[in-house]
Amino acid sequence: MNVFISADIEGTCGISHWDETERSAPRDYAPFQKQMTREVAAACEGILAADKGASIFVRDAHDSARNLEPAAFPECTQVMRGWTGDPLSMMSGIDTEDYGAAVFTGYHAWASSGGNPLSHTMNLRNEYVTLNGVRMSEFLMNAYTAGYYGVPVVFLSGDKALCEFAEEFIPGIVTVSVNEGRGGAVVSMHPDAAVKAIREGVKKGVKNAKNCFVPLPDYFEMTVRFKDHRVAYSKSFYPGASLEDEKNVCFASDDWFEMLRFSHFVLSD
């Protein structure tokens, strides 16, 4: 089996402040860069425990996309670092192989959610994004991308709010809730316990892949609520988009890739 991993950082065990996510603040960032790498390495170990012959593709999907330490991963692993500039974004590479499963580590709740003090969707310029009337997280967006390419989403680690959403969205998925947001704070499990739980959770998830296909709607409607009306106005000129009011930019399509193309130009920094 080929397995695709998309790794973010704001849902890494214990993380609670933006400085802990930024290479520009090395003292705060270093411990969580290490924990992010440990959690992805644990996911790789879980994949191989479920399928010794598996090949693994890891997408470093946070900020600079230069966070993970590839030497920590098994030799059967390929790692994509940096940004290609294509609309798949955090899922770049999933269209290149026949993947049997997708795994998400370090993911976080959607913009305006109280489930994580670092909650956001793609950037900090929007108040929230809705997709078919549901507040859209990066997990929801990227899970639909996996579904678009026929790849089951078998595992998610991150904050409790996102994990609860994922369990309703994909009933067969295995989740590990490493953090729980409380206002501006986070309550987390021990980092070593998180690594162990992720390893076992991914192992279970990969074995259950046949029950984890993503339900793709026939039609998509997205609304991006920007914080600044001037940004909303400029983004409303994307072909097919409309300005619903001073801050809401709307777009709809029956093709998920067209939604990704819209998101790429409207939500990317």
Side-chain angles (χ1 to χ4, degrees):
M1 179 185 291
N2 295 323
V3 181
F4 186 95
I5 300 176
S6 179
D8 204 355
I9 202 171
E10 288 92 355
T12 297
C13 185
I15 204 161
S16 64
H17 192 276
W18 290 112
D19 285 352
E20 296 165 348
T21 75
E22 299 288 346
R23 294 169 62 90
S24 58
R27 182 175 298 179
D28 292 311
Y29 170 72
F32 294 95
Q33 177 192 28
K34 180 179 179 181
Q35 182 64 17
M36 179 187 181
T37 298
R38 293 180 71 211
E39 292 181 10
V40 174
C44 293
E45 292 167 4
I47 291 166
L48 295 177
D51 181 357
K52 293 181 180 179
S55 296
I56 304 169
F57 186 98
V58 174
R59 177 50 169 132
D60 189 329
H62 169 68
D63 195 42
S64 67
R66 294 184 292 114
N67 308 279
L68 299 171
E69 299 176 11
F73 307 144
E75 290 187 11
C76 64
T77 305
Q78 290 183 300
V79 182
M80 180 183 281
R81 303 174 74 244
W83 295 106
T84 64
D86 68 73
L88 297 181
S89 188
M90 298 173 76
M91 301 295 284
S92 290
I94 199 167
D95 60 334
T96 61
E97 298 286 347
D98 182 18
Y99 289 100
V103 168
F104 295 83
T105 63
Y107 268 60
H108 53 84
W110 51 96
S112 295
S113 170
N116 189 322
L118 307 182
S119 64
H120 66 282
T121 301
M122 298 305 290
N123 59 52
L124 302 180
R125 293 180 301 170
N126 63 80
E127 292 182 15
Y128 57 79
V129 181
T130 63
L131 181 64
N132 290 359
V134 175
R135 293 284 176 93
M136 188 182 79
S137 62
E138 292 166 13
F139 166 76
L140 178 58
M141 180 171 67
N142 295 331
Y144 275 145
T145 299
Y148 182 77
Y149 289 102
V151 182
V153 176
V154 304
F155 178 85
L156 166 72
S157 67
D159 56 64
K160 181 179 178 181
L162 185 64
C163 288
E164 290 177 345
F165 171 86
E167 290 168 1
E168 293 186 11
F169 177 54
I170 307 171
I173 195 172
V174 177
T175 70
V176 172
S177 172
V178 299
N179 298 326
E180 181 178 359
R182 297 185 185 176
V186 162
V187 177
S188 69
M189 64 169 66
H190 190 282
D192 293 344
V195 167
K196 292 176 183 177
I198 289 168
R199 183 185 301 117
E200 290 305 309
V202 171
K203 176 182 176 181
K204 181 179 178 181
V206 169
K207 289 183 175 181
N208 191 45
K210 64 181 180 180
N211 297 315
C212 298
F213 282 95
V214 180
L216 275 177
D218 295 326
Y219 190 72
F220 303 93
E221 295 182 353
M222 187 181 296
T223 298
V224 181
R225 175 75 174 179
F226 285 98
K227 295 178 180 179
D228 187 331
H229 65 88
R230 295 169 297 181
V231 176
Y233 179 77
S234 68
K235 298 299 185 181
S236 70
F237 288 94
Y238 180 83
S242 61
L243 191 63
E244 185 180 74
D245 61 19
E246 289 87 350
K247 292 186 177 182
N248 285 0
V249 178
C250 305
F251 184 78
S253 176
D254 58 3
D255 184 345
W256 178 245
F257 194 86
E258 289 304 315
M259 303 304 295
L260 289 177
R261 201 191 308 270
F262 167 76
S263 298
H264 179 61
F265 285 96
V266 174
L267 284 173
S268 296
D269 286 327

